[in-house]
Structure formats: structure tokens, C-alpha cells
Amino acid sequence: MLSPHLAKKIVSDVRRLIDEDIIIVDTNGIIMASTDTTRLGQFHEGAFLVCQEKKKRIITKQDENILRGVKAGINLPIFFRGDVIGVIGITGDPKKVSPYGELLKKMTELLIQENYYTEQLQLEARALETFVFEWLQARDWSPSFYERAQLFHIDLTMKRRVIIASFHENEPSLSVDMWKYVQNMWNEQRDIIVRWGNDRLLILQTDEDKERTTAKIKTVQRALIEKYAVTLYIGCGKMVDSKHVHHSYKQAERALHIAKQTKKIVFDEDLRLEMCLEDISLATKRELVKRTIEPFMHEQELLHTLRTFFANNLSLKQTAEALHIHINTLHYRLKKIEQYTNLHVRNLEHIITLYLAIRFLDETTKK
């Protein structure tokens, strides 16, 4: 309950309030944490007696010659759920430090209580994460799986949609506070929200309505930006029977990859071309770039021209205007691209090949 790490944290927090030395002692009388590091690991007879008697003890100058390892001050028992779990000691003139005693004791007990509930919350969260992980892996459900579902109050008869929410890679990792905040914002008891690694949340949703889902996601995104200054990318799978959530998970992964590129909420069922492109390996994408536009990759002007040409739906007039060049200059650049690649912008198959090449170039460069 009272670990050395927690004891050290308590000493650090309490020290901000007073200048006197502070110690935290375990129930065996061993000093666990101290502002005076030379006392660590020493036996403190006064604290040991406090644990036995369950009441505070004033340590006088005379006691320094009688009790082992003590200094003048005050020792107070730390209680948790009615039991003494340690002692906090404040070194100094007893008359001077006694007024702080009860306040610091209460503060210490609150810190321990807060730490306990945080640990319990994390244990419960990990247990749920483990259950969801098994849910996504298992094809057949064992009796123990059904029992754990009941313990978590999870209805396995309901259809579910997997939603994966990912934080930007340069932003801080997902904290317990963020996870709880999203749970409270989401506010749907039938849905399951778990932490999925250091930068993701996984939601098993029961609402089939896309518009409501989109509105809810946008509300959460705005709230996280305002409260934590973090950006959330969202990929959503299809609604499936609970037995097939692994399919929805794969779809959500694919949708999330597109969401990171488009900065939009992406539902897998809305994907068309992207659905096909996601199944192409990175090696194949790089090979297509090599076989097509690699000969002029050193000419940024031509690459920019080609990107702008596609961004303007192959309109020569709009592309020239966007580039602030004469249309004859645009024709000249496109002709150079044809010479480099032997692909012609008026040939449907060739223009599709160029489009995929420039798209794969941008994608693989980012990776």
C-alpha cells in the first residue's frame, strides 16, 4: 500500500508546505523516504512505537538519547481504511512543528487514498483491455469469456462498430485522465472505451446511426483540443455482430490510416479507391514510383505541376491559373513529363498511372 515510490512522492509534495525535514516510515520502523537522504533505511524507534500504539508521539531532545534513530519533532500515524500503514515524522522544535502535524497527516492520507483509487482504476482498465484484446482475437468464445463479459456488464448480443481514435504522433501519450474524460464525454454505458497502447483509444460502439456518431466524435474532438490541446484522428469500421468485431477492427485500422492523411472522420464503408490502395504493399508502391516518375524526381517544379494538375481535375486552364503561368508553359512542362516517363496525359491508363505514382510518392515519403 505504502511503496517507497509513493513515500518519496509524499515527502516531495509535503516539503513544499514547510521547511522542516520530513520522514515517512513503514510499520517496521524503517525510514522509507526522507528529505535527509542520509537517514534512509535507518530504524526509527519512535515511529515503530507510533505504529504499535496507533497515536501520535512527541519526540523530545531527551528522547534522542533514549530511542534509536530519532530526532526531536513529532510522529503521526498514517491511517488507511482503519489500519496504520506507516508514520509521517516532522523534525524540529515540537512546539513549532506540532501545529502542522494533523494537517500534514491528513494531506498524506488523502494522497495515499488518491493513489490507491488510481491504481484500482488502472487495474480495472487493464483487465478490460485484456478482455477486449481477447475478444478481437478469439473466433470461438469459451465459457470463461462469457463469464468475464457478464462481470464487465457487456452485452454480447448487440451489434458493434469498432472506432479507433489516434493521437498525433508528436503529442503527449494518452493519460488516465484523458481516457476518463473521453468516457464521460461519450456518455454511453453500452459502449466500451479502452486505452489501446500509448496513443490510441478503441471504442466498441452500439449506435448504428452514422450522423449521431459523427456528431458525438466531433464533440469529443473539440473538447480534447480545448482541454488538453491534442488532436484526435478517427477511423470507423462497419457495424457487425459481436462475434465479428475483428472484421470491424481491421476496417477501422484502414479508415484511420486514411483519416490521418485527410484529417477527417473516416468510415470504412465510405472508402472506394482508398480501400483498394490500402491493400497495396509499401514495396509495390515504391516500385511503381521508381518505374514512372523517378527520372524527374529531382525537378520539384515538374512534381508540383503534376500535383496541381490532379488537384484541378486535369483542367489545363485552372492548373495554369493556380500555378500563375501561361498555358503554353503548362503544355511545355507536361510534355517534359511525357518525355521522362513515356506516359501521356491524354491517355486514360497513363494518367491513372501518373496519379497513383504521385500519390504513392507523397505517401511513401511521409513514411
Side-chain angles (χ1 to χ4, degrees):
M1 177 55 62
L2 186 54
S3 66
H5 174 75
L6 178 57
K8 186 176 179 181
K9 182 180 183 300
I10 291 169
V11 166
S12 176
D13 289 347
V14 172
R15 183 57 190 270
R16 295 172 190 160
L17 303 177
I18 59 174
D19 295 327
E20 285 74 13
D21 280 327
I22 302 157
I23 58 171
I24 298 289
V25 187
D26 68 16
T27 51
N28 295 315
I30 305 301
I31 298 175
M32 305 171 66
S34 173
T35 49
D36 179 1
T37 55
T38 62
R39 300 185 72 189
L40 290 174
Q42 293 182 4
F43 179 71
H44 193 288
E45 191 174 354
F48 180 75
L49 292 172
V50 168
C51 290
Q52 301 300 309
E53 298 165 358
K54 297 186 177 182
K55 61 182 181 181
K56 72 177 179 181
R57 174 179 281 264
I58 302 294
I59 306 293
T60 65
K61 279 290 182 183
Q62 290 76 13
D63 289 328
E64 290 182 359
N65 299 317
I66 302 170
L67 302 174
R68 280 178 58 194
V70 305
K71 290 186 178 182
I74 184 171
N75 290 173
L76 301 106
I78 302 168
F79 284 93
F80 181 76
R81 295 188 168 184
D83 294 323
V84 176
I85 61 168
V87 173
I88 182 169
I90 310 166
T91 302
D93 181 348
K95 291 181 180 179
K96 182 181 177 184
V97 299
S98 288
Y100 298 115
E102 289 298 329
L103 175 63
L104 297 184
K105 165 182 148 65
K106 182 58 67 177
M107 177 182 171
T108 300
E109 289 172 344
L110 288 172
L111 286 170
I112 290 170
Q113 190 174 45
E114 180 184 350
N115 184 75
Y116 172 78
Y117 287 122
T118 299
E119 286 182 350
Q120 290 300 111
L121 182 64
Q122 289 178 333
L123 284 173
E124 290 173 14
R126 282 195 288 271
L128 183 57
E129 287 163 26
T130 302
F131 176 80
V132 171
F133 181 80
E134 184 179 335
W135 191 353
L136 293 173
Q137 299 296 317
R139 300 297 178 262
D140 295 308
W141 295 343
S142 64
S144 67
F145 181 85
Y146 283 103
E147 289 171 7
R148 280 183 292 150
Q150 287 184 327
L151 285 173
F152 289 118
H153 307 291
I154 294 172
D155 187 347
L156 294 174
T157 65
M158 300 189 74
K159 286 190 171 185
R160 302 271 178 179
R161 181 202 312 278
V162 175
I163 299 173
I164 303 176
S166 176
F167 291 89
H168 191 280
E169 59 186 12
N170 295 326
E171 289 173 348
S173 59
L174 176 65
S175 66
V176 175
D177 284 345
M178 288 184 194
W179 168 58
K180 290 301 293 180
Y181 184 70
V182 172
Q183 279 191 319
N184 292 332
M185 287 290 299
W186 196 260
N187 194 29
E188 176 50 70
Q189 289 187 343
R190 295 176 303 175
D191 293 352
I192 302 162
I193 303 177
V194 295
R195 289 179 295 171
W196 208 245
N198 292 325
D199 62 349
R200 287 186 174 190
L201 287 168
L202 188 141
I203 304 171
L204 289 164
Q205 187 202 24
T206 54
D207 189 350
E208 297 189 36
D209 192 287
K210 277 177 63 177
E211 288 187 9
R212 278 199 303 268
T213 299
T214 302
K216 184 174 284 191
I217 290 170
K218 287 181 177 178
T219 299
V220 171
Q221 284 177 319
R222 285 193 297 268
L224 284 173
I225 288 173
E226 290 175 8
K227 187 172 179 66
Y228 297 103
V230 294
T231 305
L232 210 57
Y233 300 118
I234 305 288
C236 307
K238 292 181 181 178
M239 292 296 300
V240 295
D241 292 334
S242 286
K243 278 254 184 184
H244 300 124
V245 290
H246 57 281
H247 291 312
S248 188
Y249 178 80
K250 289 180 180 178
Q251 293 163 356
E253 282 272 25
R254 180 166 61 190
L256 177 64
H257 186 244
I258 303 301
K260 288 182 175 180
Q261 298 171 34
T262 62
K263 309 295 188 290
K264 296 178 181 178
I265 299 166
V266 177
F267 287 81
D268 184 76
E269 59 213 71
D270 295 332
L271 299 179
R272 295 178 179 85
L273 177 61
E274 296 91 345
M275 179 180 63
C276 302
L277 300 184
E278 279 299 296
D279 288 336
I280 301 174
S281 71
L282 188 60
T284 300
K285 291 176 180 180
R286 285 175 172 161
E287 185 62 29
L288 180 66
V289 171
K290 184 179 179 180
R291 295 183 185 190
T292 53
I293 61 177
E294 187 178 69
F296 67 90
M297 277 173 54
H298 61 285
E299 296 201 33
Q300 290 299 316
E301 186 178 69
L302 292 184
L303 289 174
H304 181 54
T305 298
L306 196 55
R307 290 188 183 97
T308 308
F309 186 48
F310 290 130
N312 285 276
N313 299 311
L314 311 184
S315 167
L316 295 172
K317 182 174 181 293
Q318 291 177 12
T319 302
E321 289 175 354
L323 292 169
H324 306 292
I325 60 175
H326 194 277
I327 198 163
N328 289 341
T329 305
L330 176 59
H331 280 298
Y332 171 74
R333 292 182 186 178
L334 294 175
K335 190 67 177 176
K336 282 188 71 175
I337 291 171
E338 290 178 3
Q339 291 169 352
Y340 272 120
T341 63
N342 201 29
L343 296 170
H344 304 281
V345 296
R346 295 189 181 279
N347 180 293
L348 179 59
E349 183 178 334
H350 289 189
I351 199 67
I352 291 172
T353 303
L354 284 170
Y355 171 74
L356 292 176
I358 201 75
R359 180 166 178 157
F360 292 164
L361 172 66
D362 293 340
E363 184 182 322
T364 56
T365 301
K366 287 177 184 175
K367 287 186 178 180

